[in-house]
C-alpha cells in the first residue's frame, strides 16, 4: 500500500482540489461519501469480450464527489445473499454527474458475473460513497508512470481522463499489460487521449498476439529491459500501479531491482492475499476493569447491541442485524471506516486507514475489537 504521508508541490495539489471542488460546487449539493446511495444504471458499454463499463447516476441526481483513483463499494442482493464489493471508479471527477465502474467478468466471481448478467439500463443498486487514498492529488510530481494490468487500468484511467479534461498535459507514461491485444481495455481511448495531450505516452505489452499477428506493441511480460527502453527516465517518476497481486509483486520487484525509490511507489489492491505488511496494533486506552461483554450504541439511529470483546465490531453488528458498509473485512479497503465517539478499541488493520484519520477518531470496524463500551457515529 502507499508509503507514509509525503507531499509535493502543495500549491499544485491545492489547485487540483480547487478545480474539483469548483466542479462540485457548480453542480450544487454533492453525495455525502458516508451515505448509502441508490445508483441507477444509465449506460452499459462493452469494452472487450469480458469487460464492461457500467455508468450510473445517483438516485436524486446529486453529483458524485471523489478524487481520481478512489473506489465505490457496490452492494447487491445476489441470490439470497447481500454481497458487497469495491470497484475503483473509471470515470474522472471532472464529469461528476455520472460515475462509472469497469468490470471484468471473473470465472466464479459472484459480483462481476451478477453485474455482467443483470445490470442493464434502468436497473438500480446500492453504493457507498467514494473512498480510498490511491490518488495522485496528494502526490504531485513533475513526471508520472502509470503501470496497470487487466482491469487494474480503471483508477489510472480516471487519473488520465482527469488530467486531459483539465488541459494539464501532464508528463505521464502509461504502460498497460494484457493477455492479448484484444484484451486491452480502453485501447482506442488511450490512443485518442495521447493525441490530445502530447506529454501523455502509452505503451502496451501483451503476453501473446492472439488474433492480431501484425501486433507491433510489446510482447511477453513487462521487464526491466522493456521499461528502460520505453521509459528511460523511470527512476525520476512517481509510480502508480494497479493490477492483480502477482503483477504488482513483479512490478515492485523489477522497480526495486532497477533502483527506483520505494517512497515514490503507490499501488492499489483489494486482493487481501497480497503480502501487505500488517500495521502495528492500534490500541486505545485499556478499560479500567476486565470486561468481556460490551454495549455498542449507534448515535444516529439510537440502536444498540451487546457483544463480546473477542469479536470484531463489524461481525457483532452483522449478527445483531445491523448493516454496516464493508467489503474486504481485512482492514485493507477502508469501507467500514467509522468514527468512534466514545470508548476504545484494539484495531489491527492492513493499511486501510491513515494515521491522521486515526487521530481524528476513525477506526475500521472489521478489524477492531472493543475494550470498553462504545458509541459509534452511525
Ligand atoms: Fe475493508 Fe473494513 S471492510 S477495511
Amino acid at each position: 500500500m502507499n508509503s507514509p504521508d509525503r507531499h509535493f508541490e502543495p500549491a499544485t495539489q491545492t489547485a487540483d482540489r480547487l478545480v474539483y471542488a469548483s466542479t462540485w460546487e457548480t453542480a450544487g449539493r454533492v453525495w455525502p461519501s458516508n451515505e448509502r446511495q441508490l445508483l441507477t444504471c444509465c449506460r452499459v458499454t462493452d469494452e472487450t469480450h469480458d469487460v464492461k463499463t457500467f455508468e450510473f447516476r445517483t438516485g436524486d441526481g446529486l453529483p458524485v464527489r471523489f478524487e481520481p483513483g478512489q473506489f465505490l463499494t457496490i452492494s447487491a442482493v445476489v441470490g439470497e445473499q447481500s454481497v458487497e464489493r469495491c470497484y475503483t471508479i473509471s470515470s474522472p471527477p471532472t464529469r461528476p454527474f455520472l460515475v462509472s465502474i469497469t468490470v471484468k467478468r471473473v470465472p466464479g466471481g459472484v459480483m462481476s458475473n451478477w453485474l455482467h448478467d443483470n445490470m442493464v439500463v434502468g436497473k438500480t443498486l446500492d453504493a457507498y460513497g467514494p473512498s480510498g487514498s490511491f490518488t495522485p492529488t496528494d502526490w504531485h510530481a513533475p513526471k508520472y508512470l502509470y503501470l496497470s494490468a487487466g482491469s487494474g487500468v480503471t483508477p489510472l484511467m480516471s487519473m488520465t481522463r482527469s488530467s486531459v479534461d483539465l488541459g494539464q498535459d501532464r508528463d505521464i507514461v502509461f504502460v498497460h499489460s494484457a493477455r492479448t491485444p484484444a484484451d486491452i481495455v480502453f485501447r482506442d481511448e488511450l490512443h485518442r487521449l495521447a493525441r490530445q495531450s502530447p506529454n501523455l505516452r502509452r505503451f502496451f505489452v501483451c503476453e501473446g498476439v492472439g488474433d492480431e499477428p501484425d501486433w507491433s506493441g510489446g510482447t511477453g511480460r513487462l521487464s526491466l529491459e522493456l521499461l528502460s527502453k520505453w521509459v528511460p527516465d523511470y527512476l525520476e517518476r512517481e509510480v502508480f500501479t494497479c493490477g492483480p497481486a502477482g503483477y504488482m509483486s513483479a512490478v515492485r520487484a523489477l522497480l526495486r531491482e532497477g533502483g527506483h525509490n520505494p517512497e515514490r511507489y503507490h499501488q492499489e489492491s483489494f486482493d487481501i492475499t497480497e503480502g501487505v505488511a500488517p500495521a502495528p496494533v492500534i490500541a486505545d486506552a485499556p478499560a479500567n476493569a476486565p470486561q468481556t461483554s460490551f454495549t455498542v450504541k449507534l448515535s444516529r439511529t439510537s440502536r444498540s447491541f451487546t457483544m463480546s470483546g473477542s469479536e470484531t465490531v463489524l461481525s457483532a453488528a452483522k449478527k445483531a442485524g445491523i448493516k454496516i458498509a464493508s467489503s474486504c473485512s481485512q482492514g485493507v479497503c477502508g469501507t467500514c471506516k467509522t468514527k468512534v465517539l466514545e470508548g476504545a478499541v484494539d484495531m489491527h488493520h492492513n493499511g486501510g486507514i491513515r494515521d491522521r484519520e486515526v487521530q481524528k477518531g476513525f477506526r475500521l470496524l472489521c478489524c477492531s475489537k472493543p475494550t470498553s463500551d462504545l458509541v459509534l457515529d452511525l
Side-chain angles (χ1 to χ4, degrees), residues 17 20 24 65-70 89 93 130 134-135 137-138 158:
R17 286 230 161 82
Y20 298 144
W24 300 320
R65 179 185 190 130
F66 65 100
E67 294 187 1
Q70 290 192 307
I89 300 169
F134 181 68
T135 169
T137 313
D138 280 342
S158 176

Side-chain angles (χ1 to χ4, degrees), residues 22-326:
S22 67
T23 310
W24 300 320
E25 274 159 23
T26 306
R29 201 167 80 80
V30 296
W31 169 16
S33 66
N34 60 346
E35 281 182 16
R36 201 177 176 98
Q37 258 281 2
L38 189 71
L39 299 182
T40 303
C41 180
C42 46
R43 194 154 39 216
V44 179
T45 306
D46 287 317
E47 304 289 357
T48 69
H49 67 102
D50 61 356
V51 175
K52 289 185 182 193
T53 292
F54 302 93
E55 286 178 81
F56 300 94
R57 59 182 150 70
T58 56
D60 45 13
L62 291 179
V64 182
R65 179 185 190 130
F66 65 100
E67 294 187 1
Q70 290 192 307
F71 63 88
L72 289 178
T73 302
I74 302 295
S75 174
V77 176
V78 180
E80 303 280 287
Q81 276 202 319
S82 174
V83 179
E84 291 178 340
R85 291 285 184 278
C86 300
Y87 288 102
T88 45
I89 300 169
S90 50
S91 54
T94 42
R95 306 172 208 167
F97 289 99
L98 292 182
V99 65
S100 68
I101 56 172
T102 300
V103 180
K104 179 181 167 68
R105 188 193 279 277
V106 179
V110 176
M111 183 65 98
S112 68
N113 281 288
W114 183 86
L115 284 167
H116 273 249
D117 295 336
N118 295 278
M119 189 47 60
V120 292
V121 172
K123 197 157 173 112
T124 59
L125 53 64
D126 280 330
Y128 294 94
S131 42
S133 55
F134 181 68
T135 169
T137 313
D138 280 342
W139 303 92
H140 266 288
K143 299 175 178 184
Y144 294 92
L145 172 59
Y146 293 169
L147 299 172
S148 65
S151 53
V153 69
T154 54
L156 304 172
M157 199 61 191
S158 176
M159 296 174 193
T160 306
R161 285 167 164 164
S162 304
S163 173
V164 176
D165 277 2
L166 295 175
Q168 290 169 325
D169 192 22
R170 287 208 165 123
D171 185 337
I172 297 169
V173 183
F174 200 136
V175 181
H176 180 68
S177 299
R179 267 199 318 257
T180 72
D183 292 301
I184 298 172
V185 186
F186 304 129
R187 180 177 172 182
D188 292 344
E189 186 177 348
L190 277 166
H191 285 311
R192 182 174 58 74
L193 292 175
R195 283 197 298 276
Q196 289 177 298
S197 191
N199 275 320
L200 167 64
R201 289 177 292 142
R202 75 286 176 217
F203 298 95
F204 303 114
V205 55
C206 296
E207 287 174 31
V209 297
D211 55 5
E212 242 179 269
D214 54 351
W215 168 249
S216 59
T219 48
R221 298 212 167 168
L222 185 62
S223 63
L224 204 50
E225 192 187 354
L226 208 49
L227 192 63
S228 307
K229 184 175 137 197
W230 285 341
V231 201
D233 60 351
Y234 72 92
L235 292 179
E236 300 165 23
R237 291 178 178 266
E238 199 78 12
V239 177
F240 287 79
T241 306
C242 189
Y247 166 81
M248 289 197 295
S249 302
V251 161
R252 212 169 181 165
L254 74 83
L255 286 172
R256 203 180 305 127
E257 186 191 336
H260 188 265
N261 180 353
E263 283 202 359
R264 308 190 69 178
Y265 175 87
H266 315 269
Q267 71 176 41
E268 178 68 301
S269 173
F270 299 125
D271 185 338
I272 56 177
T273 61
E274 167 72 340
V276 181
V281 174
I282 293 173
D284 295 324
N288 289 332
Q291 188 181 344
T292 53
S293 177
F294 302 102
T295 301
V296 180
K297 287 185 184 155
L298 311 186
S299 67
R300 295 194 211 176
T301 57
S302 302
R303 295 185 70 180
S304 64
F305 59 93
T306 53
M307 65 174 291
S308 107
S310 62
E311 61 185 331
T312 66
V313 179
L314 180 69
S315 83
K318 277 187 181 164
K319 279 185 204 160
I322 292 168
K323 267 199 114 180
I324 294 176
S326 65

Side-chain angles (χ1 to χ4, degrees), residues 326-336 364 366:
S326 65
S327 184
C328 70
S329 294
Q330 300 284 329
V332 173
C333 71
T335 308
C336 64
L364 300 177
C366 69

